Amino acid sequence: MNRFLWPLVGFVVLVVLLAVGLRLNPRDVPSPLVGKPAPAFALPRLDTPDKEFSPREMLGEVWLLNVWASWCVSCRQEHPVLVELAKRQTVPLVGLNYKEVRGDGAIDSDKVAPGDEKRMVIERAAGWLRQHGDPYTLSVLDVDGRVGIDYGVYGVPETYVIDKAGIIRMKHTGPITPEVFSGRILPLLAELSK
């Protein structure tokens, strides 16, 4: 009798775990960085590539870091929301252009010289923002994706809410919708801005 009962118990447990898993939102991926200082970096700015930006420059301000790329289909979906956000001037929005050339898979970046790759990144990213509107206070170039790795990026778009002390308070995976912005991000921004 016991040898038939254990497989049945195992099957029931598996069904319960599957049912619980199906109710979870796959976009709600917990980040080990929430509650910790935002990883430091110094990356070239898209508008002035000879100048670098560092999160240290934002200390004392609540701000958003939005990871994007021109090849990202979901970024196109969220872009009008970001443009509207920029019009309201609610919060500084810094763009992290992520693996612009390497991420789309159309170009073998191993065959492109580093200087040529950076020029291609600048042309593609700046051209895309000219065409679709530029909601960013500034954008920086994460050409090889190393800063994205530090932030735990596994797909674009992703957005981080960072407080005045430089602590990550929220990570949103996937496109920001008007509902996500008004229901989750805006209340957090109001609380952090006090």
Side-chain angles (χ1 to χ4, degrees), residues 61-64 81-93 135 137 181-182 185-190 193:
E61 290 189 67
V62 177
W63 59 291
L64 300 179
V81 176
L82 298 180
V83 170
E84 188 58 38
L85 169 66
K87 288 178 186 174
R88 293 185 199 174
Q89 298 181 343
T90 308
V91 63
L93 178 61
T137 306
F181 182 72
S182 62
I185 296 175
L186 197 55
L188 180 57
L189 293 175
S193 296

Side-chain angles (χ1 to χ4, degrees), residues 136-171:
Y136 301 107
T137 306
L138 64 100
S139 275
V140 294
L141 308 174
D142 189 12
V143 175
D144 58 11
R146 289 188 182 154
V147 171
I149 291 170
D150 292 343
Y151 276 79
V153 171
Y154 69 88
V156 288
E158 290 186 7
T159 304
Y160 300 82
V161 177
I162 303 172
D163 72 13
K164 294 177 183 181
I167 306 296
I168 295 176
R169 294 299 175 187
M170 179 183 148
K171 175 183 178 180

Side-chain angles (χ1 to χ4, degrees), residues 3-49:
R3 70 180 215 207
F4 295 110
L5 186 60
W6 287 115
L8 180 62
V9 169
F11 178 74
V12 169
V13 168
L14 185 62
V15 168
V16 168
L17 290 174
L18 181 61
V20 169
L22 289 174
R23 290 184 178 190
L24 298 176
N25 184 348
R27 298 227 182 257
D28 290 339
V29 178
S31 172
L33 294 178
V34 173
K36 296 185 178 157
F41 64 81
L43 288 175
R45 293 173 52 141
L46 175 59
D47 60 345
T48 49

Side-chain angles (χ1 to χ4, degrees), residues 36-59:
K36 296 185 178 157
F41 64 81
L43 288 175
R45 293 173 52 141
L46 175 59
D47 60 345
T48 49
D50 55 324
K51 293 184 180 178
E52 290 187 334
F53 167 81
S54 168
R56 287 188 304 269
E57 296 174 39
M58 300 303 287
L59 287 175

